[in-house]
Amino acid sequence: MNPFPIALALARRNWLTTALFLFLITVSVALGVAITAQERALREGSARASDPFDLIVAAQGSQTEVMFNVVYLRPSAVELIQPETLATLLQDPRAEFVAPVAFGDSAGGFPVVGTTADMIRHLIGDAPLDGRLWNHVEEAVVGARVPFGPGDSVMSSHGVHFVEADHGEIAVVGKLPPTGTAWDNGVFVPIEYSWSTHGLVSGHDPARYKPDGTPPIGPPFDAAYLAAVPAVVMETGSLPAAYMLRQAYRTPETTAFFPAEVLSEIYGYLGDVRAIMSAMAIATQVLVVAAILSGIVALVQLYRTRLAVLRAMGATKGYVFAVMWTYIMALVLGGTLLGLAGGYGVAQAISAVFSAETGLTLSARIGGRELALAGALAGLGAVLAVVPAVALFRRPAVTYLR
Amino acid sequence: MLRAEGLRLSFRDAEGRGFPVLDIATLTAEAGALTVVTGPSGSGKSTLLHALCGLQPVDAGAIRWQDTDIAPLSEGARDRWRRQTVGLVFQEFHLIDELSPLDNILVPAWFSRFRAGEMRHRAAELMRAYAVPTQRRRVADLSRGERQRVALARALLFDPPVILADEPTASLDRDAGAAVIEGLCALARDRGRLVLAVSHDPGLIAAADVVLRLDHGRLTPVEGIA
């Protein structure tokens, strides 16, 4: 049998209703898919962005706040690690490197981060740098998404959200390759710059300054000339070393944590939100399918004479059933596929906006969860598609011919 | 020969009381003849037609076509019998407006097969025979007379030995009606088909070989021309 020509004729007869049904299914599926795909992209992207930061040590206070400062370059006022403690941290032989990180300045609207070359090299891995790393206190390298490049000069100012005072021009000497982290949106200067522009010590004994009167760059630092910093990033080399160091720096003065632990706590909350939103998306879909089915039941009453004529010409109940089931399933499947594509598109668009905003590379994709969602809806549609036929077959076909 | 014996059928009204619709001792229609059942509105003509093609189950009686009594068959078996044996024509054509004339004629082919295949040739032949315009994309664009000829062609797709027509000319003007009457007469007399129509169109009654009169569900022969 071939129910398609008749089902198609049915759709064409009420093309506006059919298009509306298709649109409703598409929107409801797209909504559910976009929510789950976007939530996953956010989770994966934010986790990936924290990969370069093995262990973060900060002064006692909120780990979440410190993590947003260090990993996502969302500066807020946090407690500082005092110079004496910093001296101990910097000298810890168990870490492969210890990089202080300092925030609070901005350049051209991008956050300025004071740190060491070790941190930058660790961040970009083996990828080549456009230009070079800094070797002077007033030199900077910029993240891949920052619209400056080697040779540019940019005004560094105090304050991130509101510029309070200008520090002076800094020369951009290098541009980092994309890392997919929030650091793609950063401007990086030697920690010596962050300290000295704020009228603090530079980290080095002035006796050892370069002939031009500027401090040398990078470790080793002089313990007596250190200033406070919001946090340090420790590269630990191995997992046991990471756990050991985390334990070692959970002291009355400092807190030490893996970004992943803080993230998983946040994901815990996010997961609850996701569960609620998924449930709402599924409920929406079920409601849409139910609404459409009741619409089709009404539509079938309009078609009943036509369907009865098919019976009169020798079509079996099975054929008439197949016509209606094909029509409904075409709506459900078509809407589901369009919804998957639409949801993917929406999630991509949101990810792109989010990436531009934060520097985090989010790649929304259609995964098992989205396919399961779509499959469940299609399955539900397949079962519920029986309802209009049952409604029609309650009375003999000949009733509708009189 | 199609023969109904002792056919009885009652419907129930809104209060659930039964009232008789058909009570027919015998009815015979011969192949090669045009039989017309006439009678006032509400006399049960359409119901009789539906009973004869197996759409309407009856309370009692036999409906024999050749050696088969279709009355006691299951619904599925009656559907199958009807598909193979009967071509139906309706007063209001009951075509599918969104389909082309050719596809409308092919509709019965899709009940049992996916591709119309060789049935397309048969349908094209019928379109020529009944002068159905081939250029039109939708039957909705055809005149009423043309549409009834499409319906007739559709009824004949499987070349059924029995053609049943329910007021086939009632919604047509005189010329279009005459063309349909001519088509039905030719089927009976030239092709040897059994053609039974219910109608009160004087033109169709005049063309009939046998005219039966149905009144309150009972049959009375009025005249025999053959």
Side-chain angles (χ1 to χ4, degrees):
Chain A
M1 74 169 95
N2 181 4
F4 293 103
I6 313 286
L8 186 65
L10 223 62
R12 281 168 62 189
R13 177 156 199 114
N14 277 54
W15 65 268
L16 194 61
T17 313
T18 302
L20 194 67
F21 286 167
L22 198 62
F23 174 76
L24 285 175
I25 298 175
T26 301
V27 168
S28 73
V29 173
L31 194 70
V33 166
I35 288 170
T36 57
Q38 184 58 37
E39 187 271 342
R40 179 186 331 89
L42 186 62
R43 205 155 24 88
E44 289 175 350
S46 56
R48 203 174 330 107
S50 76
D51 282 349
F53 309 94
D54 275 22
L55 180 69
I56 295 173
V57 182
Q60 275 298 349
S62 160
Q63 294 181 342
T64 311
E65 264 183 65
V66 172
M67 187 192 68
F68 273 99
N69 270 277
V70 175
V71 176
Y72 303 114
L73 300 187
R74 298 266 136 174
S76 60
V78 294
E79 294 296 318
L80 301 178
I81 301 176
Q82 293 310 305
E84 313 78 64
T85 315
L86 178 62
T88 322
L89 280 162
L90 289 172
Q91 279 157 15
D92 196 316
R94 294 170 292 186
E96 294 195 350
F97 71 76
V98 180
V101 281
F103 314 98
D105 293 342
S106 66
F110 296 90
V112 169
V113 181
T115 186
T116 62
D118 285 335
M119 185 63 230
I120 302 297
R121 275 192 290 264
H122 178 62
L123 178 72
I124 65 177
D126 295 331
L129 174 86
D130 176 16
R132 60 174 173 81
L133 275 174
W134 58 66
N135 51 30
H136 185 275
V137 71
E138 285 175 353
E139 286 178 347
V141 295
V142 296
R145 285 173 175 271
V146 175
F148 314 128
D152 290 342
S153 165
V154 54
M155 177 61 75
S156 150
S157 315
H158 189 68
V160 177
H161 304 297
F162 303 100
V163 170
E164 291 160 30
D166 290 342
H167 292 311
E169 297 273 325
I170 45 177
V172 177
V173 296
K175 184 156 187 155
L176 307 183
T179 61
T181 71
W183 283 43
D184 284 355
N185 268 351
V187 172
F188 306 101
V189 293
I191 185 75
E192 290 84 355
Y193 178 85
S194 300
W195 280 331
S196 51
T197 51
H198 289 90
L200 304 166
V201 287
S202 71
H204 301 277
D205 184 347
R208 287 199 279 152
Y209 273 21
K210 296 183 189 174
D212 66 358
T214 61
I217 303 301
F221 297 98
D222 293 315
Y225 296 91
L226 291 173
V229 285
V232 301
V233 176
M234 280 191 170
E235 169 60 21
T236 55
S238 71
L239 207 57
Y243 276 96
M244 188 175 65
L245 284 164
R246 184 181 67 155
Q247 198 52 45
Y249 289 105
R250 289 193 162 169
T251 66
E253 289 80 36
T254 56
T255 176
F257 62 92
F258 307 135
E261 356 168 28
V262 178
L263 278 176
S264 59
E265 196 180 315
I266 295 173
Y267 296 156
Y269 300 127
L270 211 58
D272 293 345
V273 173
R274 177 186 63 186
I276 294 167
M277 292 182 87
S278 296
M280 278 164 60
I282 290 168
T284 309
Q285 289 175 17
V286 171
L287 281 177
V288 163
V289 168
I292 285 168
L293 275 172
S294 46
I296 288 172
V297 168
L299 211 59
V300 159
Q301 296 307 308
L302 294 177
Y303 292 148
R304 60 193 188 183
T305 303
R306 175 184 282 207
L307 294 169
V309 168
L310 295 179
R311 296 292 315 282
M313 290 190 296
T316 56
K317 272 185 176 176
Y319 182 82
V320 173
F321 175 81
V323 166
M324 275 186 292
W325 195 81
T326 303
Y327 173 61
I328 298 169
M329 278 317 284
L331 282 178
V332 171
L333 283 180
T336 303
L337 290 177
L338 286 174
L340 274 175
Y344 177 73
V346 169
Q348 286 283 327
I350 295 174
S351 290
V353 170
F354 193 86
S355 293
E357 185 75 12
T358 62
L360 254 65
T361 302
L362 299 193
S363 50
R365 61 192 163 78
I366 300 297
R369 199 182 165 82
E370 289 72 35
L371 291 177
L373 193 76
L377 182 72
L380 182 73
V383 174
L384 291 183
V386 173
V387 174
V390 170
L392 184 77
F393 292 149
R394 262 194 333 212
R395 303 182 68 186
V398 69
T399 322
Y400 306 123
L401 284 177
R402 282 188 204 123
Chain B
M1 184 175 75
L2 186 65
R3 183 176 173 84
E5 291 166 357
L7 211 57
R8 273 207 302 277
L9 175 65
S10 298
F11 286 160
R12 294 193 176 279
D13 62 16
E15 279 86 47
R17 286 189 299 257
F19 61 94
V21 180
L22 291 178
D23 183 5
I24 291 171
T26 56
L27 177 153
T28 25
E30 299 285 350
L34 170 59
T35 306
V36 173
V37 178
T38 185
S41 296
S43 59
K45 297 196 299 294
S46 290
T47 306
L48 172 65
L49 204 73
H50 295 152
L52 289 177
C53 69
L55 262 175
Q56 174 66 60
V58 292
D59 299 337
I63 298 162
R64 286 185 216 287
W65 165 250
Q66 294 169 344
D67 300 327
T68 319
D69 179 5
I70 64 152
L73 294 180
S74 71
E75 191 176 8
R78 280 184 279 127
D79 288 342
R80 203 160 37 246
W81 175 82
R82 185 166 60 250
R83 188 164 66 238
Q84 290 159 356
T85 318
V86 182
L88 271 171
V89 179
F90 306 92
Q91 175 177 350
E92 285 300 329
F93 330 134
H94 291 319
L95 299 173
I96 297 175
D97 286 347
E98 295 74 27
L99 296 181
S100 69
L102 177 69
D103 283 344
N104 262 286
I105 295 169
L106 285 172
V107 162
W110 290 321
F111 296 163
S112 53
R113 59 192 90 192
F114 190 78
R115 290 189 174 282
E118 77 282 6
M119 279 297 164
R120 290 188 168 276
H121 301 294
R122 166 84 182 144
E125 232 170 72
L126 287 164
M127 285 175 79
R128 269 193 304 279
Y130 289 93
V132 174
T134 48
Q135 318 83 325
R136 305 285 177 167
R137 288 188 49 236
R138 287 155 33 100
V139 283
D141 302 332
L142 301 181
S143 73
R144 296 184 70 81
E146 287 167 334
R147 281 196 260 176
Q148 190 60 303
R149 297 208 298 274
V150 172
L152 192 55
R154 178 181 63 182
L156 298 175
L157 183 68
F158 292 125
D159 200 13
V162 177
I163 290 96
L164 301 180
D166 188 355
E167 301 279 10
T169 55
S171 65
L172 303 180
D173 61 36
R174 184 193 293 270
D175 288 349
V180 169
I181 293 168
E182 193 184 313
L184 291 174
C185 285
L187 277 169
R189 291 167 201 154
D190 304 344
R191 309 287 305 275
R193 301 287 176 264
L194 189 159
V195 183
L196 187 148
V198 302
S199 176
H200 45 235
D201 174 8
L204 186 52
I205 294 166
D209 300 305
V210 180
V211 177
L212 305 169
R213 187 173 176 79
L214 194 65
D215 207 348
H216 292 97
R218 291 167 184 274
L219 211 52
T220 43
V222 277
E223 55 194 299
I225 299 168

